[in-house]
């Protein structure tokens, strides 16, 4: 699942408090105990979302370096190819990694990776997206079902406030991504009870914005004048949905997102996108590093809940709209910088929100 970067101070503080016991286990780091010189695999799913190269991988590597100076992180990105990711996992096992952190391209296909790794006594940590078909050793993510419910409810509240008429389009994530399925379930929990008709929904192959745009374009023609809002499962599909309305020469209705990508922040500031979800990648990346380090030391973490029979750590995200974007995305704990977002094209809109 794809996936954002920041959230409010109180929520971040709470999440870090959960992580504190894990960090404490690392005292004396620098390759202490069974972790000395260990290789740890970090396998990410695609490059369509910029987060993996810009945030997840660097943050994970930095935390491992802090915990274990002579440990080595072996990073690979599968570029949305499940078979390639399986080959990467096989290569990592051949290189003698002591733990694998994997964000699966295909949650079902990743089950074979889990079984192969565990047969070699190498723990698997599912990252961001769960692996329901096989019991991983650990799972770390934000609460994806809650994400879906939150972005959809935020949209419903906006539509009711505006006394909007019509129905809703639902643009889901990839059908091969179990996290997308959880988001979809959460969206339905809010939309189905909203009183607004669900006009149509679509599972977007590979989370590709262009495919979301093509589908929404067809729905605009079919339901012209009837679309009150669009619940898109992430910022990429949200951006594709917005592009479809603009290409059709139609007014853009409220459109949701998820991941708090830089482009989404710009769209919110400009008024093109209604909301997104702030999920600070630093939280999950560092939690994954802590967990991997504990496994390598022979002290498996217990998690704070269980999902798909797997010990899990799930964190709660924050909905971001124009009303709180300054505080959440650009505040003291925000990961975005005004200088990055408020480029000349967006300067006037940023000024209106006091972003300087």
């Amino acid at each position: 699942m794809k996936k954002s970067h920041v959230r409010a101070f109180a929520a971040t503080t709470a999440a870090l408090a959960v992580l504190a016991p894990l960090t404490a286990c690392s005292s004396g780091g620098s390759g202490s105990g069974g972790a000395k010189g260990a290789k740890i695999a970090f396998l990410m799913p695609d490059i369509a979302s910029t987060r993996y190269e810009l945030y997840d991988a660097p943050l994970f590597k930095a935390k491992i370096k802090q915990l274990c100076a002579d440990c080595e992180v072996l990073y690979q990105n599968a570029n949305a190819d499940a078979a390639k990711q399986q080959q990467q996992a096989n290569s990592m096992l051949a290189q003698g990694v002591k733990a694998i952190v994997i964000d699966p391209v295909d949650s079902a296909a990743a089950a074979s990776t889990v079984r192969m790794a565990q047969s070699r006594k190498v723990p698997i940590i599912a990252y961001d997206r769960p692996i329901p078909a096989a019991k991983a050793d650990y799972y770390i993510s934000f609460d994806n079902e809650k994400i879906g419910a939150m972005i959809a409810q935020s949209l419903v509240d906006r539509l009711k406030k505006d006394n909007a008429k019509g129905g809703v389009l639902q643009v889901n994530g990839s059908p091969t991504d179990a996290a997308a399925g959880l988001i979809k379930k959460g969206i339905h929990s809010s939309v189905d009870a909203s009183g607004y008709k669900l006009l149509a929904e679509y599972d977007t192959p590979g989370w590709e914005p262009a495919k979301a745009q093509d589908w929404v374009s067809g729905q605009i023609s079919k339901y012209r004048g009837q679309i009150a809002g669009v619940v898109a499962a992430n910022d990429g599909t949200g951006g594709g949905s917005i592009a479809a309305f603009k290409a059709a020469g139609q007014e853009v209705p409220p459109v949701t997102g998820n991941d708090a990508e830089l482009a989404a922040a710009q769209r919110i500031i400009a008024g093109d996108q209604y909301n997104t979800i702030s999920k600070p990648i630093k939280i999950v990346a560092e939690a994954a590093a802590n967990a991997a380090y504990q496994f390598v030391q022979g002290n498996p973490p217990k998690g704070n809940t269980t999902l798909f029979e797997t010990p899990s750590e799930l964190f709660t995200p924050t909905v971001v709209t124009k009303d709180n974007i300054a505080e959440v995305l650009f505040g003291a704990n925000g990961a975005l910088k005004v200088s990055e977002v408020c480029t000349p094209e967006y300067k006037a809109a940023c000024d209106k929100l006091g972003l300087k």
Side-chain angles (χ1 to χ4, degrees), residues 6-16 278 280 283 318 327-328 331-334:
V6 289
R7 48 184 295 213
F9 175 77
T12 302
T13 302
L16 292 177
S278 167
I283 290 176
T318 301
E327 174 190 359
V328 178
N333 295 284

Side-chain angles (χ1 to χ4, degrees), residues 24-113:
C25 293
S26 68
S27 58
S30 299
S32 62
K36 185 173 179 60
K39 295 178 181 179
I40 298 170
F42 192 66
L43 306 180
M44 294 296 101
D46 61 67
I47 58 175
S49 175
T50 58
R51 57 169 282 189
Y52 301 112
E53 305 291 320
L54 295 178
Y55 301 102
D56 297 78
L59 287 166
F60 182 85
K61 289 178 180 178
K63 187 62 179 178
I64 289 292
K65 194 70 174 177
Q66 177 188 337
L67 295 169
C68 177
D70 60 0
C71 288
E72 181 182 1
V73 175
L74 305 182
Y75 169 61
Q76 293 280 299
N77 189 301
N79 196 17
D81 186 332
K84 182 177 181 180
Q85 189 170 62
Q86 177 68 66
Q87 293 169 357
Q88 290 171 342
N90 292 344
S91 174
M92 295 297 177
L93 290 168
Q95 293 178 65
V97 296
K98 299 300 182 184
I100 294 177
V101 178
I102 183 170
D103 191 338
V105 173
D106 184 316
S107 295
S112 60
T113 299

Side-chain angles (χ1 to χ4, degrees), residues 127-208:
Y127 181 83
D128 198 30
R129 304 174 182 177
I131 306 174
K135 184 179 177 181
D137 295 278
Y138 206 62
Y139 174 51
I140 291 174
S141 180
F142 282 88
D143 189 328
N144 288 296
E145 187 172 337
K146 185 171 288 187
I147 285 171
M150 290 171 71
I151 59 174
Q153 191 59 52
S154 172
L155 179 79
V156 167
D157 291 345
R158 164 69 185 273
L159 296 181
K160 290 183 176 180
K161 180 180 179 181
D162 294 346
N163 195 30
K165 306 299 180 185
V168 174
L169 295 180
Q170 182 171 328
V171 186
N172 303 312
S174 173
T176 64
D177 178 354
L182 293 171
I183 294 172
K184 178 178 179 178
K185 182 179 179 182
I187 290 173
H188 272 290
S189 72
S190 294
V191 171
D192 294 353
S194 70
Y196 285 95
K197 181 180 179 180
L198 178 60
L199 298 173
E201 68 176 300
Y202 176 65
D203 293 341
T204 310
W207 292 91
E208 292 186 28

Side-chain angles (χ1 to χ4, degrees), residues 255-319:
V255 177
T256 72
N258 162 35
D259 283 343
E261 293 183 347
L262 188 150
Q266 291 175 324
R267 290 193 294 267
I268 289 173
I269 289 166
D272 290 330
Q273 184 168 321
Y274 176 59
N275 73 21
T276 187
I277 281 281
S278 167
K279 355 177 252 195
I281 292 173
K282 182 179 176 69
I283 290 176
V284 288
E286 293 192 349
N290 276 310
Y293 182 64
Q294 282 190 277
F295 273 112
V296 170
Q297 287 187 307
N299 300 310
K302 298 184 183 303
N304 56 22
T305 188
T306 300
L307 188 66
F308 299 116
E309 300 183 1
T310 301
S312 306
E313 279 185 84
L314 301 181
F315 301 100
T316 301
T318 301
V319 175

